[in-house]
Amino acid sequence: MLGILGRNEADVAATAIFQRINRHAEFDIIHQSWEFTSGFIYRITPQLTSATGGGDFLKPFENSVWIASSVTLLLIVTALKLFGKLIHKTYENEPDMSWMAYILDVVGSISQQGIPGRISARLSMKLVLSSLLMLVVVLYNYYTSAVVGGLLSSPGRGPESVREIIDSPLVVSFRDIGYHKILFRETQVPIIQELYDKKVKPPRDGNDILPVYSDVVTAVPFLKHGGYAFHCEMTEAFQEIAYEFDANEICELRTAKGLFNDLRLMSFVLPKRSMYTEMFRMTMMRIQEVGLIKRTLKIYRIEKPICQSGGRVNPVEFFGVSTAFSILFAGMVLALILAIAERLSSRKSKTQADNSPIFKHKTR
């Protein structure tokens, strides 16, 4: 199209283009009003909340807090064991408990199951256990506050950048138009190349999968279903979304930055020093003064639909509590292994006792 204008085969371009530096020397800009804002549009789902860190039991604390808490608990177990040995040597009636017993007692205290009665009631033991319970109370308050605050806050933000789109489980589709295909073919930007390799290049089969390149009417039902992201000029999709989505689904609509990061004004152009330049410029200024441009933009430049739904309870799905089930499963497996080990150890001890000379002598 620019070649046609450059060869004076046409007098004006009845379409919009990007303003690039080299084009100012060849063409006259006559009007700028349309903002080209491209990006990804998708519907937030619980899976996306989990992928971005929501629904994770480890999220309320940073790694440094978890590490410090683990080290502190190990020190408390060690202190209990050392004090227990010292008390056992000082007072013969005090039992000397094993390491595992102290570990189980600390775990019970962390789980807020109370202090076991078999632990010594000496002042040193009371001080260690009081410190442990104070630590548990403080950490528990911070932890539950973070969890409840996250549940009561607005739904998860979801991916907001190209990097987060790549790392998310979203299936990506692009508006079937030339600039997407040319961008992937000629890009030298590493993040866009990675997007192409991970989200565009892999083959897609089946009628229930959104194609790599699609139109708005085809893409919106997939967006409504969830799990898909559509990259386009957002104005093109908002009107169709307003027709298809209900109030709750509109509240779950999210957008992310697209492949064109900066805001670009679209321009009408004419060949340099065209005799129509001033005519078109004055005409466009006049219709802008009387409000026709503003009215046209109001009709055709659709904004993102506004969330008008009331409060909504989002049910917790399995992935949200998967960490708890994982801990339970790991504990059951560990308990089974320890039970088998204790059984084998008991059999071995019994066999050795049966084969000992003292046992044989007593049998005789």
Side-chain angles (χ1 to χ4, degrees), residues 284-354:
M284 297 302 294
M285 290 177 61
R286 176 58 181 164
I287 64 176
Q288 187 168 6
E289 289 175 355
V290 300
L292 290 180
I293 297 295
K294 183 177 181 180
R295 177 174 174 80
T296 303
L297 292 177
K298 185 177 181 179
I299 295 174
Y300 293 102
R301 183 171 178 78
I302 308 299
E303 298 295 334
K304 180 181 177 181
I306 300 175
C307 174
Q308 298 179 346
S309 175
R312 184 183 183 187
V313 177
N314 295 313
V316 178
E317 298 189 8
F318 175 76
F319 75 90
V321 293
S322 59
T323 307
F325 283 96
S326 300
I327 295 174
L328 174 63
F329 179 75
M332 297 298 291
V333 172
L334 181 60
L336 179 61
I337 294 174
L338 292 177
I340 295 175
E342 291 175 351
R343 177 67 176 173
L344 294 177
S345 177
S346 176
R347 285 185 176 182
K348 184 177 180 180
S349 300
K350 185 177 181 180
T351 302
Q352 291 177 352
D354 293 341

Side-chain angles (χ1 to χ4, degrees), residues 56-331:
D56 188 354
F57 281 4
L58 303 178
K59 189 66 175 178
F61 290 156
E62 293 188 355
N63 294 335
S64 58
V65 179
W66 289 113
I67 294 173
S69 301
S70 301
V71 172
T72 303
L73 294 177
L74 290 176
L75 292 176
I76 290 176
V77 172
T78 304
L80 289 174
K81 180 62 177 178
L82 293 178
F83 290 154
K85 278 186 170 295
L86 182 61
I87 293 173
H88 175 69
K89 291 181 180 180
T90 306
Y91 306 96
E92 295 181 355
N93 60 336
E94 294 287 347
D96 184 16
M97 297 168 56
S98 63
W99 282 96
M100 184 56 65
Y102 285 116
I103 292 175
L104 293 177
D105 292 338
V106 170
V107 172
S109 300
I110 295 174
S111 304
Q112 299 185 350
Q113 298 301 310
I115 300 175
R118 64 176 181 272
I119 290 184
S120 174
R122 301 296 173 180
L123 183 60
S124 58
M125 285 293 192
K126 289 182 178 180
L127 185 59
V128 174
L129 292 175
S130 299
S131 302
L132 173 61
L133 293 177
M134 183 63 67
L135 172 69
V136 171
V137 169
V138 174
L139 290 180
Y140 180 78
N141 286 335
Y142 276 108
Y143 185 87
T144 53
S145 299
V147 173
V148 173
L151 293 175
L152 294 179
S153 63
S154 59
R157 59 182 181 85
E160 294 180 346
S161 63
V162 178
R163 163 54 56 195
E164 293 178 352
I165 289 289
I166 295 175
D167 297 335
S168 72
L170 288 169
V171 177
V172 178
S173 180
F174 299 86
R175 180 79 160 86
D176 191 5
I177 198 168
Y179 64 75
H180 281 135
K181 299 177 182 179
I182 295 174
L183 178 66
F184 289 132
R185 186 182 67 192
E186 300 182 359
T187 184
Q188 300 296 325
V189 181
I191 190 69
I192 297 180
Q193 186 62 48
E194 184 179 356
L195 174 69
Y196 177 78
D197 293 336
K198 293 184 177 181
K199 295 289 189 178
V200 179
K201 193 175 180 180
R204 301 180 187 180
D205 299 324
N207 297 327
D208 56 343
I209 299 296
L210 183 62
V212 175
Y213 300 104
S214 180
D215 57 83
V216 175
V217 176
T218 304
V220 167
F222 288 92
L223 297 181
K224 183 177 181 179
H225 179 270
Y228 294 89
F230 187 56
H231 187 277
C232 63
E233 187 183 7
M234 296 184 183
T235 301
E236 298 177 326
F238 285 153
Q239 185 170 7
E240 187 69 21
I241 287 173
Y243 291 148
E244 295 290 336
F245 281 42
D246 60 27
N248 289 327
E249 293 167 346
I250 288 177
C251 293
E252 296 172 350
L253 192 66
R254 298 291 185 274
T255 59
K257 292 182 179 179
L259 305 181
F260 301 97
N261 294 329
D262 54 334
L263 179 64
R264 297 171 180 261
L265 288 174
M266 306 298 286
S267 306
F268 292 139
V269 296
L270 293 92
K272 204 69 173 178
R273 295 176 296 276
S274 170
M275 62 180 180
Y276 297 107
T277 299
E278 287 301 320
M279 181 188 304
F280 275 100
R281 181 177 286 119
M282 293 177 63
T283 303
M284 297 302 294
M285 290 177 61
R286 176 58 181 164
I287 64 176
Q288 187 168 6
E289 289 175 355
V290 300
L292 290 180
I293 297 295
K294 183 177 181 180
R295 177 174 174 80
T296 303
L297 292 177
K298 185 177 181 179
I299 295 174
Y300 293 102
R301 183 171 178 78
I302 308 299
E303 298 295 334
K304 180 181 177 181
I306 300 175
C307 174
Q308 298 179 346
S309 175
R312 184 183 183 187
V313 177
N314 295 313
V316 178
E317 298 189 8
F318 175 76
F319 75 90
V321 293
S322 59
T323 307
F325 283 96
S326 300
I327 295 174
L328 174 63
F329 179 75

